[in-house]
């Protein structure tokens, strides 16, 4: 979720923190949408918790999670996909596309896919942009003495959409795993590669273990590997003497109950270790 005066071209894959005064936005459910070639439809439910009406526009953009060399994950968005990309963006429609949601009102929006007749088997990606204006009184800001401007806030929420045709497989490979002691703690860097035809949607657990295999600290996060992805974890260490002979164990699996197990293309769990250097 992001409040901004212009369209968002780069969306963090992590949660944005917004001030309490603007934290109430139209709720969207679900935020991960799955469609198949048999039904070609899906729905999202919008709800306005604000004291004023919200003007809402539903659109579509191309983008998927990507990472930089430091392991920061973002979703760059564009109106059109480069040639050859598995994009569903051009053949998706929302009904209604524009609406006004009154305070306390709920609205179901239907998404319809109209793919080409000769669409090959595979998974096709898009992002659904839910843009809302209103809901709260304009914010007044003084730009000069005795001169004020009223700023109307715009909210852009981004949901993922995966369209599937045919019997697909998915999995993940660990191309590189490095663990190193740093001033901040033990840093694990994982370079991940998707296998199969569909994006890998899963969970990753990392455990810092001492030389006897006892877990010192552990962390867990969700991952979405559309092609390749670098993830970096820093595990805090209170007693550095425990790092002698320590290692990090990592486990990747498909435990994503918030997505619904019927939407997950399951694969075997992937486990491994990296010695702390």
């Amino acid at each position: 979720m992001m409040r901004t005066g212009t369209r968002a071209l780069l969306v963090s894959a992590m949660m944005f923190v917004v001030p309490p005064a603007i934290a109430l936005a139209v709720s969207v459910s679900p935020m991960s949408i799955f469609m198949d070639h048999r039904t070609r439809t899906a729905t999202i439910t919008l709800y306005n918790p604000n004291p004023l009406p919200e003007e809402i526009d539903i659109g579509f953009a191309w983008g998927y999670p990507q990472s930089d060399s430091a392991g920061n994950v973002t979703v760059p968005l564009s109106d059109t996909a480069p040639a050859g990309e598995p994009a569903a963006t051009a053949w998706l429609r929302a009904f209604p596309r524009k609406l006004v949601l009154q305070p306390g009102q709920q609205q179901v929006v239907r998404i319809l896919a109209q793919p080409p007749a000769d669409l090959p088997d595979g998974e096709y990606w898009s992002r659904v942009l839910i843009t809302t204006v209103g809901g709260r009184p304009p914010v007044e800001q003084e730009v000069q003495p005795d001169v004020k401007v009223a700023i109307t806030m715009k909210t852009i929420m981004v949901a993922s959409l995966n369209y599937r045709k045919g019997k697909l497989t998915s999995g993940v490979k660990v191309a590189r795993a490095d663990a190193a002691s740093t001033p901040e703690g033990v840093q694990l860097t994982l370079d991940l590669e998707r296998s199969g035809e569909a994006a890998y949607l899963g969970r990753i657990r990392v455990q810092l273990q001492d030389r006897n295999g006892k877990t010192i600290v552990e962390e867990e996060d969700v991952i979405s590997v559309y092609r390749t992805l670098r993830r970096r974890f820093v595990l805090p260490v209170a007693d550095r003497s425990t790092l002698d002979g320590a290692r990090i164990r990592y486990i990747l699996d498909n435990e994503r109950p918030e997505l619904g197990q019927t939407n997950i293309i399951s694969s075997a769990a992937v486990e491994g270790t990296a010695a702390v250097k």
Side-chain angles (χ1 to χ4, degrees), residues 24-230:
L24 286 177
V26 168
S27 68
V28 180
S29 179
M31 290 298 290
S32 298
I33 303 161
F34 298 89
M35 304 177 68
D36 64 53
H37 198 64
R38 182 178 60 85
T39 60
R40 306 188 190 187
T41 62
T43 61
I44 57 174
T45 301
L46 310 178
Y47 171 72
N48 179 14
N50 293 303
L52 294 176
E54 290 268 12
E55 297 178 11
I56 301 175
D57 182 276
I58 311 295
F60 302 94
W62 165 255
Y64 62 91
Q66 301 180 47
S67 57
D68 60 17
S69 59
N72 300 310
V73 181
T74 56
V75 182
L77 299 178
S78 60
D79 291 328
T80 58
E85 294 284 10
T89 308
W91 34 268
L92 294 172
R93 302 289 183 269
F95 299 95
R97 188 177 71 83
K98 293 180 179 290
L99 64 145
V100 176
L101 208 57
Q102 298 297 328
Q105 184 181 4
Q106 180 174 289
Q107 173 75 48
V108 174
V109 174
R110 183 172 297 276
I111 298 175
L112 174 65
Q114 298 173 308
D118 58 350
L119 184 74
D121 286 1
E123 184 177 69
Y124 299 84
W125 311 327
S126 181
R127 297 281 146 170
V128 184
L129 307 184
I130 303 97
T131 303
T132 70
V133 178
R136 301 187 66 85
V139 177
E140 288 192 351
Q141 182 173 339
E142 186 171 338
V143 293
Q144 293 179 11
D146 301 324
V147 178
K148 293 184 178 180
V149 296
I151 302 174
T152 299
M153 306 302 291
K154 177 186 291 187
T155 306
I156 302 177
M157 287 163 285
V158 183
S160 62
L161 188 149
N162 297 57
Y163 182 96
R164 295 165 177 167
K165 180 185 179 186
K167 186 174 178 60
L168 307 179
T169 63
S170 181
V172 67
K173 300 176 182 177
V174 178
R176 172 189 172 219
D178 287 336
S181 176
T182 70
E184 294 76 27
V186 175
Q187 177 177 282
L188 173 68
T189 302
L190 289 176
D191 287 338
L192 307 174
E193 298 176 356
R194 185 202 84 198
S195 61
E197 303 84 15
Y200 178 83
L201 307 175
R203 172 185 66 165
I204 180 169
R205 290 176 289 157
V206 295
Q207 302 170 339
L208 176 61
Q209 300 178 336
D210 64 18
R211 65 188 311 157
N212 298 315
K214 179 183 177 181
T215 298
I216 303 169
V217 62
E218 60 183 312
E219 288 190 10
E220 178 179 313
D221 201 0
V222 297
I223 54 168
S224 301
V225 185
Y226 279 64
R227 286 203 170 90
T228 62
L229 198 73
R230 170 169 288 186

